[in-house]
Amino acid sequence: MTTPAAVLVDAAAYAVAVETATKAAAAYYATGESALDDDAYDRLARGIAAYEAAHPDEISADSPSGKVAGGAVVGDVPHTVPMLSLDNVFGGDEFTVWAASVERRIGRPVERWSVEPKLDGLAVAARYEEGRLARLITRGDGLAGEDVSHAIGMIMGLPDRLTEPVTLEVRGEVLMTTDQFEQANTLRTSHGGTPFANPRSAAAGSVRAKDRPYQVEMTFFAYAALPISDTGADLAASLAALPHGEVLTYVAGLGVHTTAGTTVPPRTVTDAEAVRVRVEEIAALRAELPFGIDGIVIKADAAADQLAAGSGSRAPRWAIAWKLPAVEKVTRLLDVEWNVGRTGTIAPRAVLEPVEIDGSTVAYATLHNPNDITRRDLRIGDHVMVYKAGDIIPRVEAPVAHLRTGDEKAIVFPEVCPQCGSEIDTSEQRWRCVRGRNCHVVASISYAAGRDQFDIEGLGATRVVQLVDSGLIADIGDLFTLTREQILGLDRMGETSTDNLLAAIERAKGQPLSRVLAALGVRGTGRSMSRRIARHFASMELLCAADEAAMQRVDGIGVEKAPTIVAELAELAGLVEKLRAAGVNMIEPGATPPSDDPAASEDGEVAAPGGPLDGMTVVVTGAMTGPLEKLSRNQVNELIERAGGKSSSSVSKRTSLLVAGENAGSKREKAEQLGTRIASPDEFAELIAELLDDSDSAADGADGAGGDSAAAAGR
């Protein structure tokens, strides 16, 4: 998607735009604390360039166009070779035009393209003398930069000594990983400072800081190496002749970080179409990366091609940055809502001035917990940095403290539960009503009765309120002991509707363990995780007996989540027993209990039985038709996993199959670009026909089945 340019209607608007962009660039490259987010700056810069193209006689000497760092930064340490910026493209069509221009310039097809992530950090040059790190210099205006050698020792990936006593300059990006950013903000706020707005500003400010009473850790990733004045002739000649990819391999061999060891290593491809595919692969991984990227860099790999293409005053003509849609924007925090979840958890939610991020309008974002609000020093009225990537719920990262006016107000924390007025348990980071699930009993029971849990048709929220208010039920276990006479006594419940509801409740007793778990609403799990847990342990008995170590053997459960799940199951023991006594099924059909034999699996994970989708990652999108038409998305995912596959919500290079229904949209386009196998709903139904038949048979036989018979069938 191309970033639209700001529209500058006249010379006055152009002058204001130049001034705004220059100030923003100066702040961005000096401290990282720009008044504009990246997307807003890109729009402004494109608008300035468009105006200048239409009015070449009006170009201002202060214009950021064609200048390294927007012409806003200077330095006092000359670079041996200009340290240039990169020009940008914002989509496939622009890249195709640019690639064609490179090939026209060199007079032949580009031999190979190198494709690598564009790291969102601060560009620096590290000078090594006889293998020892001697000096660290920022990019500055491209001709000279600022000496920041005082930061040596704070930056991982830049060793004090190389593995060989060579003299050369390594160029790359200094950034903060997600973990380093969190650690830096904890350290900064503990010393009374305001939180960093984002990882880039944190790195930019920390590299330059000399008088702080604390030090923060950063990481360096190299993207180039070149000889400096006293380099040996042999090494200089060798570096000049090496393809870009081999230069990075050489640098990595000296002990310097490159992205080669990450999930997005540099890769060479032979044509523009392969570049597009690799761009999509990296973009699909963006949300999972431990560091920020704002695009993908594409370079002519061969030294001869680079030499033939040459460089301009601002950027090389053989390299380009393919910018990705912005996932980070600045907006205003208007209010904070305190919502109580099904389990009694009290969750703060930011109410934002609506802003478009990554193709969608964001008006709300998560604030994690009260401690996080305090640590980040958030205030009503703040300009805040909001982050969104992939399918992740938008989150507020930090206030943009330098934009404060003094009119901001403190966020007021609730003193009692906003839902029921009871006391709040503040002993953990996530606050919780002391009544737990009983605080929001109607929501909890309604959720449990939903289509993807117990699937009790006819038990909507209104009916649940009736049952709760009449004192007939206090939790989901009570649903399964309701009598005909009790239900008939409710307002607007006749004999037919009562019998239908009782039949639906009876059918619910036969749901698999994964559905029972989902209905319980165990904190730290959802429908997908409930299926994984149920397949792993096979029975509620084994699950409830599991300790933290056993719980961590389930795919996706780590050391942080396991204790919560174990504690939740212990808390729910009484409810589980009530369900068991009522005849609710407590096993997962077709699952094999975990073996105590160490030889069963190296990591303790239970191997799923073979099936038509064994080992495949499957994404379902669009409206299903044919045999799948009446199934919910959760039911289709259940079938995928029963067939030995893994269900996923997003298409990436790891996707084995996309089931594309009507109006499949962008996921189908991405699958086509990646060469992923695509099946229609009918083709997929044929692939898992046996499981569909079993599912239909189970549904047909469920009308008269009690909980005990359903459980026995599962065994």
Side-chain angles (χ1 to χ4, degrees):
M1 181 178 68
T2 299
T3 298
V7 178
L8 307 180
V9 296
D10 54 27
Y14 168 72
V16 171
V18 167
E19 182 181 4
T20 302
T22 302
K23 288 181 178 178
Y28 180 86
Y29 288 104
T31 64
E33 296 182 339
S34 171
L36 301 179
D37 55 53
D38 287 354
D39 187 61
Y41 182 83
D42 284 340
R43 291 171 187 262
L44 193 61
R46 288 168 72 86
I48 290 171
Y51 186 88
E52 291 171 346
H55 306 85
D57 296 335
E58 298 179 24
I59 296 177
S60 168
D62 296 328
S63 170
S65 300
K67 297 175 183 177
V68 175
V73 180
V74 295
D76 54 8
V77 182
H79 289 299
T80 54
V81 174
M83 196 170 179
L84 304 181
S85 298
L86 289 172
D87 287 329
N88 299 324
V89 295
F90 293 85
D93 292 343
E94 289 186 21
F95 167 72
T96 299
V97 171
W98 174 82
S101 72
V102 175
E103 295 189 335
R104 283 196 304 272
R105 186 175 294 276
I106 67 176
R108 62 179 183 276
V110 170
E111 185 179 337
R112 290 180 309 277
W113 296 106
S114 174
V115 189
E116 58 196 85
K118 183 178 182 295
L119 304 174
D120 195 10
L122 178 74
V124 298
R127 294 183 181 176
Y128 282 90
E129 297 176 358
E130 297 182 351
R132 183 180 63 83
L133 182 54
R135 206 169 195 184
L136 201 60
I137 307 158
T138 64
R139 178 166 55 194
D141 65 356
L143 299 177
E146 179 184 353
D147 191 325
V148 289
S149 301
H150 58 268
I152 292 174
M154 298 166 56
I155 304 172
M156 293 181 61
L158 271 180
D160 289 336
R161 287 193 176 275
L162 302 176
T163 57
E164 297 178 19
V166 292
T167 298
L168 80 170
E169 181 172 290
V170 180
R171 293 180 172 180
E173 296 279 326
V174 172
L175 53 78
M176 281 189 186
T177 65
T178 304
D179 288 343
Q180 287 172 337
F181 176 61
E182 290 298 323
Q183 292 166 9
N185 264 343
T186 299
L187 193 58
R188 183 173 172 85
T189 54
S190 70
H191 281 80
T194 56
F196 294 112
N198 55 29
R200 192 199 179 280
S201 66
S206 298
V207 164
R208 293 180 170 87
K210 295 181 180 180
D211 54 357
R212 285 181 184 164
Y214 59 92
Q215 287 190 340
V216 297
E217 184 181 84
M218 294 165 279
T219 299
F220 177 84
F221 288 97
Y223 58 66
L226 62 153
I228 51 182
S229 57
D230 54 355
T231 301
D234 292 342
L235 177 60
S238 175
L239 285 175
L242 284 178
H244 171 69
E246 292 184 28
V247 170
L248 294 186
T249 300
Y250 172 73
V251 167
L254 295 175
V256 178
H257 269 189
T258 70
T259 56
T262 71
T263 55
V264 285
R267 183 174 298 171
T268 56
V269 297
T270 56
D271 56 56
E273 184 55 37
V275 169
R276 288 171 176 259
V277 171
R278 182 56 180 160
V279 166
E280 289 292 335
E281 290 174 346
I282 295 176
L285 293 170
R286 187 182 190 183
E288 305 170 21
L289 296 177
F291 46 76
I293 66 171
D294 58 357
I296 292 94
V297 177
I298 301 122
K299 302 176 180 178
D301 185 59
D305 286 349
Q306 294 180 8
L307 184 64
S311 295
S313 60
R314 176 186 180 274
R317 297 190 179 97
W318 44 266
I320 200 77
W322 182 321
K323 296 294 290 289
L324 295 175
V327 294
E328 202 171 57
K329 288 284 190 73
V330 173
T331 188
R332 287 175 63 86
L333 176 62
L334 303 179
D335 199 2
V336 173
E337 297 177 348
W338 298 88
N339 301 313
V340 182
R342 292 178 288 103
T343 64
T345 299
I346 301 170
R349 183 173 76 157
V351 181
L352 305 171
E353 191 172 279
V355 61
E356 186 174 327
I357 309 178
D358 198 15
S360 62
T361 300
V362 174
Y364 300 95
T366 182
L367 286 174
H368 301 294
N369 56 67
N371 288 342
D372 199 56
I373 291 174
T374 301
R375 184 173 68 84
R376 296 181 190 275
D377 188 29
L378 289 166
R379 305 173 193 176
I380 302 297
D382 263 335
H383 286 82
V384 292
M385 190 69 71
V386 182
Y387 180 83
K388 176 181 179 285
D391 295 324
I392 295 176
I393 297 171
R395 67 173 186 264
V396 172
E397 286 196 329
V400 186
H402 67 278
L403 295 180
R404 280 181 172 158
T405 63
D407 294 331
E408 295 78 15
K409 299 178 181 179
I411 294 171
V412 178
F413 293 179
E415 296 181 356
V416 296
C417 173
Q419 176 67 27
C420 69
S422 299
E423 292 182 9
I424 298 175
D425 178 1
T426 61
S427 61
E428 297 183 6
Q429 285 199 343
R430 287 188 177 275
W431 291 6
R432 197 180 186 201
C433 175
V434 294
R435 295 183 63 204
R437 288 173 173 77
N438 292 329
C439 170
H440 223 326
V441 65
V442 171
S444 179
I445 295 173
S446 298
Y447 172 81
R451 184 180 184 187
D452 292 329
Q453 289 73 245
F454 276 124
D455 194 15
I456 304 177
E457 189 174 351
L459 191 62
T462 301
R463 192 68 64 208
V464 172
V465 170
Q466 272 189 303
L467 290 166
V468 171
D469 288 349
S470 64
L472 294 178
I473 62 172
D475 56 41
I476 59 174
D478 292 334
L479 288 172
F480 297 95
T481 60
L482 287 171
T483 66
R484 192 170 189 270
E485 290 70 25
Q486 287 173 325
I487 299 176
L488 276 172
L490 296 173
D491 184 39
R492 302 182 69 179
M493 284 299 290
E495 292 190 359
T496 300
S497 55
T498 295
D499 290 340
N500 288 341
L501 179 56
L502 284 171
I505 292 173
E506 191 65 24
R507 285 194 299 272
K509 293 180 180 180
Q511 292 288 3
L513 175 61
S514 55
R515 294 289 195 98
V516 178
L517 276 178
L520 287 171
V522 178
R523 283 188 295 165
T525 70
R527 291 187 290 268
S528 178
M529 181 58 72
S530 293
R531 291 195 295 270
R532 282 187 236 166
I533 293 172
R535 288 200 311 276
H536 181 91
F537 290 103
S539 74
M540 183 69 82
E541 182 181 6
L542 290 175
L543 170 58
C544 290
D547 59 14
E548 293 177 17
M551 195 64 68
Q552 288 177 41
R553 296 191 184 104
V554 179
D555 181 30
I557 297 180
V559 293
E560 294 182 356
K561 187 176 287 187
T564 299
I565 296 174
V566 170
E568 277 279 285
L569 288 169
E571 183 180 314
L572 290 164
L575 180 55
V576 169
E577 189 52 43
K578 183 186 283 191
L579 292 170
R580 190 195 310 275
V584 174
N585 170 53
M586 292 288 159
I587 66 163
E588 184 72 6
T592 304
S595 171
D596 292 331
D597 180 3
S601 171
E602 289 185 8
D603 58 5
E605 193 59 72
V606 180
L613 303 179
D614 193 21
M616 297 174 65
T617 297
V618 183
V619 175
V620 180
T621 188
M624 295 295 101
T625 55
L628 304 179
E629 184 174 5
K630 295 183 179 180
L631 300 182
S632 69
R633 188 55 46 85
N634 185 61
Q635 288 173 314
V636 176
N637 288 338
E638 287 176 335
L639 287 171
I640 290 169
E641 292 170 10
R642 282 175 57 200
K646 179 181 179 182
S647 61
S648 177
S649 60
S650 59
V651 176
S652 72
K653 66 177 182 179
R654 289 171 289 189
T655 304
S656 311
L657 176 68
L658 175 72
V659 182
E662 295 177 354
N663 302 316
S666 60
K667 289 184 181 179
R668 181 175 189 125
E669 293 175 7
K670 182 174 288 188
E672 290 171 345
Q673 291 169 355
L674 294 174
T676 303
R677 178 184 171 189
I678 300 175
S680 68
D682 286 344
E683 290 168 337
F684 182 68
E686 189 175 333
L687 187 62
I688 58 167
E690 186 175 336
L691 287 170
L692 272 174
D693 291 341
D694 290 345
S695 178
D696 291 340
S697 298
D700 292 341
D703 287 337
D708 293 337
S709 62
R715 291 188 184 89

